[in-house]
Amino acid sequence: MVVRVGLRGERGHALAISALRGITVAAPGPARAVHQRLARVEDAPLPVHHELLAQEQWDTLVLDEAQTIKDPTTATAVAAFALQARWRVALSGTPVENRLLELWSLAHFCNPGLLGGRKEFVARYARRIELGHALVASELQARLRPFLLRRRKAEVAPELPPRTDIVLRCILDPDERAVYDGLRLATHAQVMERLAAGGTVIEALELLLRLRQAACHPALVPGQTAIRSSKVDLLLEQLQEIASEGHRALVFSQWTGLLDLVQAQLDADVDALKYLRLDGSTDDRAGVVARFQADDGPPVMLVSLRAGGTGLNLTAADHVYLLDPWWNPAVEDQATDRAHRIGQTKVVTAYRLVAAGTIEEKILQLKAKKRELVASVLSEDAGGAKKLTKVSSAVATAVT
């Protein structure tokens, strides 16, 4: 029996039920006919079918995009843990996105007990590694190494042209700076209070949301109005320049509200560039992608990070603009990889737009520390852990 069940989405529910009830096909083997029940379900959600699937003893269980179960308390993760199989594989390009507990979740799926219970893992490994304990990171690395196979893009596609990463800094004008500084003063006390009370890094980051939005565009801040921002002005200058040279670009933001503001300025420009947009409300994703990929496609595509950050092939673009820096470097890398992937023949340039003198510069520092954290436990050599520094320190100073 081979069953493919999606981890997310509701489409395919009826198809999944009928398929799981059994479709018998004949598959000729080298010596005899082998009868299998074959069900291929693209997007049927695992939690809906977990009771049916849990009744089987599977020979092999492969979890693709395994970061979907990064939170072990979700219904999808609990359903995945309950499946019975003799051999399990978890595939992920981002096994650690925000915190080490995500790695425990994947390890628990593949080898329950390998890293102990969840609370034991947090106390023994996660907290100490995030505080910069290199020896603990080396211990975790050694424990995982026999069960971890890592392949990098350069090994899979050595012919792929290089990727260049550039930070573009803009200067907030006096009105933007006044809005930002007012929010910074209000937010600082809240963040310090939360961290002092033992709150997690993730909880502190949530408090900084408005501050990050103010660094991008004042109109994203409740109670503020503005038709332009320094960052969007810089973006439009860049887009006009690269389009005039025959290049094409992807513009990513995690906020559709910011994409709305970019779109409004594109429409208002007398030399308006043609563009497409892909976000969570897009019905015909394949059609939008095909129009952009066409030889005569528009030079710009606006993409929401959630809707288009994974699973799309957008190699017609050779410039990628990350409009609002995200705490998680893996998410940004996956977005950039929509253009820098197999099939790309041009050098890809990724731009991170950062407002000088704001929390966005602190985010760059935190992302560097997160890369150290991932390398400390997933690197094939023992040297990765030696470079580890305290991950949470950048958050504590983010609003100073």
Side-chain angles (χ1 to χ4, degrees):
M1 181 190 298
V2 180
V3 177
R4 177 175 174 177
V5 178
L7 296 178
R8 292 179 292 185
E10 293 296 333
R11 291 176 297 168
H13 184 186
L15 174 61
I17 293 298
S18 61
L20 289 170
R21 287 174 178 162
I23 301 174
T24 303
V25 298
R32 60 186 176 84
V34 179
H35 293 279
Q36 297 177 313
R37 204 170 85 220
L38 176 63
R40 296 185 62 82
V41 184
E42 296 293 338
D43 293 301
L46 174 60
V48 173
H49 310 299
H50 73 278
E51 292 183 359
L52 279 172
L53 296 170
Q55 294 173 11
E56 296 285 344
Q57 174 65 47
W58 304 96
D59 292 313
T60 301
L61 185 57
V62 180
L63 197 65
D64 195 16
E65 300 292 351
Q67 70 275 3
T68 304
I69 66 164
K70 64 184 180 181
D71 182 349
T73 64
T74 63
T76 298
V78 171
F81 297 153
L83 299 178
Q84 303 298 313
R86 296 182 179 89
W87 189 56
R88 297 164 180 257
V89 179
L91 304 175
S92 176
T94 55
V96 179
E97 293 188 344
N98 290 302
R99 50 184 180 161
L100 281 177
L101 185 60
E102 298 165 0
L103 186 61
W104 177 88
S105 191
L106 270 63
H108 182 69
F109 168 79
C110 291
N111 293 287
L114 175 68
L115 300 180
R118 184 171 54 178
K119 292 182 179 179
E120 177 187 352
F121 175 81
V122 170
R124 181 176 179 179
Y125 294 113
R127 287 178 182 165
R128 297 165 70 190
I129 291 173
E130 289 178 358
L131 290 173
H133 291 275
L135 289 178
V136 179
S138 296
E139 178 187 338
L140 177 58
Q141 183 188 74
R143 195 164 186 82
L144 287 170
R145 190 176 295 122
F147 306 97
L148 179 67
L149 178 63
R150 191 180 189 190
R151 298 185 70 194
R152 291 182 171 87
K153 189 187 300 182
E155 298 167 337
V156 178
E159 75 285 356
L160 193 64
R163 184 185 106 186
T164 302
D165 291 85
I166 296 175
V167 175
L168 292 177
R169 284 181 168 82
C170 66
I171 306 297
L172 299 184
D173 68 25
D175 290 337
E176 291 173 312
R177 175 56 64 180
V179 172
Y180 179 86
D181 286 346
L183 272 175
R184 180 178 62 83
L185 292 173
T187 304
H188 180 272
Q190 291 178 297
V191 172
M192 295 301 104
E193 181 181 346
R194 183 68 60 88
L195 290 175
T200 66
V201 170
I202 298 301
E203 289 174 335
L205 299 185
E206 290 174 353
L207 290 174
L208 302 177
L209 172 64
R210 292 302 180 197
L211 206 55
R212 294 176 52 229
Q213 291 177 329
C216 292
H217 202 300
L220 294 175
V221 179
Q224 300 293 326
T225 57
I227 60 173
R228 54 160 298 279
S229 78
S230 299
K231 180 178 285 193
V232 175
D233 286 348
L234 175 60
L235 171 68
L236 296 184
E237 290 173 10
Q238 287 280 318
L239 294 179
Q240 289 286 358
E241 181 179 345
I242 64 107
S244 68
E245 296 172 352
H247 299 286
R248 296 160 80 176
L250 304 175
V251 178
F252 281 97
S253 174
Q254 65 186 291
W255 300 308
T256 56
L258 184 53
L259 293 180
D260 292 340
L261 294 165
V262 173
Q263 184 173 337
Q265 287 195 232
L266 280 171
D267 291 339
D269 196 325
V270 292
D271 299 317
L273 293 171
K274 293 183 179 179
Y275 65 88
L276 290 168
R277 176 166 170 168
L278 192 152
D279 58 31
S281 65
T282 303
D283 292 325
D284 185 13
R285 287 166 54 94
V288 171
V289 170
R291 290 198 296 276
F292 182 76
Q293 288 288 97
D295 292 340
D296 59 349
V300 177
M301 178 183 277
L302 308 179
V303 191
S304 73
L305 203 57
R306 181 178 294 273
T310 59
L312 297 179
N313 187 343
L314 299 170
T315 52
D318 58 349
H319 286 60
V320 179
Y321 292 88
L322 300 166
L323 199 48
D324 39 283
W326 181 232
W327 301 102
N328 181 1
V331 171
E332 290 189 348
D333 287 343
Q334 287 218 345
T336 303
D337 286 347
R338 298 315 96 214
H340 190 240
R341 59 192 297 110
I342 294 173
Q344 180 59 267
T345 59
K346 295 167 285 188
V347 174
V348 172
T349 305
Y351 302 90
R352 288 169 174 81
L353 278 72
V354 173
T358 72
I359 190 175
E360 294 186 334
E361 292 190 320
K362 303 296 177 66
I363 291 176
L364 294 183
Q365 298 172 15
L366 180 61
K367 286 192 295 190
K369 294 180 183 295
K370 280 195 173 185
R371 290 188 188 278
E372 291 177 1
L373 177 67
V374 175
S376 72
V377 294
L378 297 183
S379 177
E380 290 88 345
D381 59 76
K386 296 178 181 178
K387 303 175 183 178
L388 187 64
T389 57
K390 186 174 179 179
V391 173
S392 59
S393 59
V395 178
T397 60
V399 291
T400 58

